[in-house]
Amino acid sequence: VMGFPKDIHADIRQTFKFIVGLARIGVHDLSHFIFTPYPGSELFQQLRESGKIPVLDEHYFLGLRGLADPLKTVSYAENIVSCQLFVYRIASLTCFYLLMFLFRPWRVFKVLRNVFGEKQESRMEMAIRNILLGKKSTTSILYRKG
């Protein structure tokens, strides 16, 4: 998770080091999220009191789409703006997958087999298959209906 209210750029660099380590030891999929304050949490209350979440309305809840849609990234970090957080998220995922394939090049063939086969073993394989088949993600369908 990146983008906690007190995060600084050095914290993001630490996250990148961690991600590189994951690729090096053989992890084959990555779930990477941006901090999102939820009602009822202590950080949510602090952000409300500081005015960073002024009104709990439809706009706020629609902003939670940043979990599924990186273009909707909202930063609650004092020192990192939303566009920087967006770039960090995309860069970290790109870095992970490039290094994962660099350290274990045979996985390219396994991913291709899984994407075109019946069984996908990772979120990445499912996403690639859905793109190739022209399917919309469940979250994008829900947002359009809502």
Side-chain angles (χ1 to χ4, degrees):
V1 177
M2 287 194 290
F4 283 98
K6 299 292 182 188
D7 275 1
I8 58 174
H9 296 280
D11 296 319
I12 304 298
R13 283 192 295 277
Q14 285 299 108
T15 301
F16 269 81
K17 287 180 186 177
F18 180 69
I19 288 170
V20 168
L22 292 173
R24 186 175 294 130
I25 65 170
V27 173
H28 67 273
D29 203 8
L30 181 70
S31 293
H32 191 211
F33 299 99
I34 302 300
F35 166 75
T36 303
Y38 280 90
S41 69
E42 186 176 323
L43 285 174
F44 177 87
Q45 191 59 37
Q46 290 172 4
L47 290 166
R48 284 286 308 253
E49 290 169 3
S50 70
K52 294 196 179 190
I53 302 174
V55 179
L56 200 58
D57 61 3
E58 183 177 322
H59 178 71
Y60 174 78
F61 286 103
L62 288 175
L64 297 178
R65 283 192 281 182
L67 295 172
D69 184 354
L71 295 175
K72 306 286 185 207
T73 299
V74 176
S75 177
Y76 293 95
E78 297 170 8
N79 299 299
I80 303 170
V81 297
S82 296
C83 64
Q84 290 172 317
L85 203 53
F86 167 78
V87 169
Y88 282 143
R89 182 179 188 191
I90 299 302
S92 64
L93 289 169
T94 303
C95 175
F96 171 79
Y97 286 110
L98 287 175
L99 290 173
M100 186 263 297
F101 288 126
L102 180 66
F103 293 135
R104 289 170 177 74
W106 61 89
R107 284 221 173 127
V108 171
F109 301 107
K110 186 175 181 179
V111 167
L112 290 172
R113 183 190 74 210
N114 290 344
V115 165
F116 293 105
E118 293 298 317
K119 181 180 176 187
Q120 292 76 54
E121 297 176 347
S122 70
R123 290 181 34 214
M124 176 191 62
E125 292 169 358
M126 287 185 276
I128 294 170
R129 183 174 173 86
N130 286 342
I131 289 168
L132 292 174
L133 295 175
K135 291 183 180 179
K136 303 257 187 239
S137 74
T138 304
T139 51
S140 66
I141 292 168
L142 290 174
Y143 291 130
R144 288 194 182 136
K145 288 182 180 177

